[in-house]
PDB file of all heavy atoms in Angstrom:
ATOM      1  N   GLY A 300      19.481  20.458  22.187  1.00 93.00           N
ATOM      2  CA  GLY A 300      20.489  21.008  23.102  1.00 93.00           C
ATOM      3  C   GLY A 300      21.727  21.508  22.445  1.00 93.00           C
ATOM      4  O   GLY A 300      21.684  22.221  21.444  1.00 93.00           O
ATOM      5  N   PRO A 301      22.922  21.073  22.958  1.00 93.00           N
ATOM      6  CA  PRO A 301      24.226  21.587  22.389  1.00 93.00           C
ATOM      7  C   PRO A 301      24.567  20.892  21.078  1.00 93.00           C
ATOM      8  O   PRO A 301      25.666  21.142  20.549  1.00 93.00           O
ATOM      9  CB  PRO A 301      25.173  21.187  23.455  1.00 93.00           C
ATOM     10  CG  PRO A 301      24.621  20.057  24.164  1.00 93.00           C
ATOM     11  CD  PRO A 301      23.105  20.234  24.104  1.00 93.00           C
ATOM     12  N   GLU A 302      23.679  20.060  20.495  1.00 94.00           N
ATOM     13  CA  GLU A 302      24.040  19.392  19.270  1.00 94.00           C
ATOM     14  C   GLU A 302      23.605  20.172  18.071  1.00 94.00           C
ATOM     15  O   GLU A 302      23.814  19.735  16.918  1.00 94.00           O
ATOM     16  CB  GLU A 302      23.286  18.007  19.238  1.00 94.00           C
ATOM     17  CG  GLU A 302      23.643  17.165  20.368  1.00 94.00           C
ATOM     18  CD  GLU A 302      25.086  16.890  20.647  1.00 94.00           C
ATOM     19  OE1 GLU A 302      25.899  16.906  19.727  1.00 94.00           O
ATOM     20  OE2 GLU A 302      25.465  16.674  21.834  1.00 94.00           O
ATOM     21  N   VAL A 303      23.104  21.400  18.225  1.00 94.00           N
ATOM     22  CA  VAL A 303      22.670  22.286  17.189  1.00 94.00           C
ATOM     23  C   VAL A 303      23.093  23.722  17.441  1.00 94.00           C
ATOM     24  O   VAL A 303      23.032  24.208  18.602  1.00 94.00           O
ATOM     25  CB  VAL A 303      21.091  22.158  16.906  1.00 94.00           C
ATOM     26  CG1 VAL A 303      20.345  22.669  18.114  1.00 94.00           C
ATOM     27  CG2 VAL A 303      20.714  22.972  15.688  1.00 94.00           C
ATOM     28  N   GLU A 304      23.474  24.419  16.406  1.00 95.00           N
ATOM     29  CA  GLU A 304      23.688  25.941  16.428  1.00 95.00           C
ATOM     30  C   GLU A 304      22.909  26.593  15.398  1.00 95.00           C
ATOM     31  O   GLU A 304      23.040  26.260  14.153  1.00 95.00           O
ATOM     32  CB  GLU A 304      25.170  26.210  16.302  1.00 95.00           C
ATOM     33  CG  GLU A 304      25.487  27.679  16.206  1.00 95.00           C
ATOM     34  CD  GLU A 304      26.862  28.076  15.805  1.00 95.00           C
ATOM     35  OE1 GLU A 304      27.622  27.138  15.433  1.00 95.00           O
ATOM     36  OE2 GLU A 304      27.218  29.265  15.797  1.00 95.00           O
ATOM     37  N   VAL A 305      21.995  27.541  15.803  1.00 95.00           N
ATOM     38  CA  VAL A 305      21.212  28.195  14.832  1.00 95.00           C
ATOM     39  C   VAL A 305      22.054  29.390  14.189  1.00 95.00           C
ATOM     40  O   VAL A 305      22.654  30.231  14.966  1.00 95.00           O
ATOM     41  CB  VAL A 305      19.947  28.772  15.522  1.00 95.00           C
ATOM     42  CG1 VAL A 305      19.192  29.656  14.571  1.00 95.00           C
ATOM     43  CG2 VAL A 305      19.101  27.642  16.053  1.00 95.00           C
ATOM     44  N   LEU A 306      22.166  29.459  12.956  1.00 95.00           N
ATOM     45  CA  LEU A 306      22.880  30.557  12.227  1.00 95.00           C
ATOM     46  C   LEU A 306      22.004  31.601  11.690  1.00 95.00           C
ATOM     47  O   LEU A 306      22.338  32.708  11.751  1.00 95.00           O
ATOM     48  CB  LEU A 306      23.729  29.878  11.063  1.00 95.00           C
ATOM     49  CG  LEU A 306      24.651  28.801  11.481  1.00 95.00           C
ATOM     50  CD1 LEU A 306      25.426  28.299  10.166  1.00 95.00           C
ATOM     51  CD2 LEU A 306      25.677  29.212  12.464  1.00 95.00           C
ATOM     52  N   ALA A 307      20.751  31.273  11.275  1.00 93.00           N
ATOM     53  CA  ALA A 307      19.823  32.188  10.766  1.00 93.00           C
ATOM     54  C   ALA A 307      18.456  31.665  10.910  1.00 93.00           C
ATOM     55  O   ALA A 307      18.215  30.430  10.801  1.00 93.00           O
ATOM     56  CB  ALA A 307      20.233  32.540   9.313  1.00 93.00           C
ATOM     57  N   PRO A 308      17.407  32.555  11.071  1.00 94.00           N
ATOM     58  CA  PRO A 308      17.495  34.029  11.004  1.00 94.00           C
ATOM     59  C   PRO A 308      18.088  34.476  12.342  1.00 94.00           C
ATOM     60  O   PRO A 308      18.196  33.841  13.347  1.00 94.00           O
ATOM     61  CB  PRO A 308      16.073  34.385  10.859  1.00 94.00           C
ATOM     62  CG  PRO A 308      15.261  33.307  11.471  1.00 94.00           C
ATOM     63  CD  PRO A 308      16.022  32.041  11.095  1.00 94.00           C
ATOM     64  N   GLU A 309      18.621  35.730  12.300  1.00 95.00           N
ATOM     65  CA  GLU A 309      19.307  36.392  13.436  1.00 95.00           C
ATOM     66  C   GLU A 309      18.463  36.407  14.651  1.00 95.00           C
ATOM     67  O   GLU A 309      18.904  36.173  15.750  1.00 95.00           O
ATOM     68  CB  GLU A 309      19.702  37.773  13.067  1.00 95.00           C
ATOM     69  CG  GLU A 309      20.675  38.441  14.177  1.00 95.00           C
ATOM     70  CD  GLU A 309      21.925  37.584  14.384  1.00 95.00           C
ATOM     71  OE1 GLU A 309      22.433  36.952  13.361  1.00 95.00           O
ATOM     72  OE2 GLU A 309      22.433  37.673  15.487  1.00 95.00           O
ATOM     73  N   ALA A 310      17.093  36.676  14.536  1.00 95.00           N
ATOM     74  CA  ALA A 310      16.279  36.796  15.661  1.00 95.00           C
ATOM     75  C   ALA A 310      16.134  35.427  16.400  1.00 95.00           C
ATOM     76  O   ALA A 310      16.135  35.409  17.662  1.00 95.00           O
ATOM     77  CB  ALA A 310      14.814  37.259  15.283  1.00 95.00           C
ATOM     78  N   LEU A 311      16.100  34.274  15.644  1.00 95.00           N
ATOM     79  CA  LEU A 311      16.065  32.988  16.326  1.00 95.00           C
ATOM     80  C   LEU A 311      17.406  32.729  16.995  1.00 95.00           C
ATOM     81  O   LEU A 311      17.447  32.073  18.037  1.00 95.00           O
ATOM     82  CB  LEU A 311      15.693  31.972  15.281  1.00 95.00           C
ATOM     83  CG  LEU A 311      15.556  30.544  15.819  1.00 95.00           C
ATOM     84  CD1 LEU A 311      14.386  30.503  16.839  1.00 95.00           C
ATOM     85  CD2 LEU A 311      15.195  29.612  14.630  1.00 95.00           C
TER      86      LEU A 311
END
Side-chain angles (χ1 to χ4, degrees):
E302 309 303 330
V303 62
E304 177 191 1
V305 175
L306 302 180
E309 187 62 29
L311 185 60

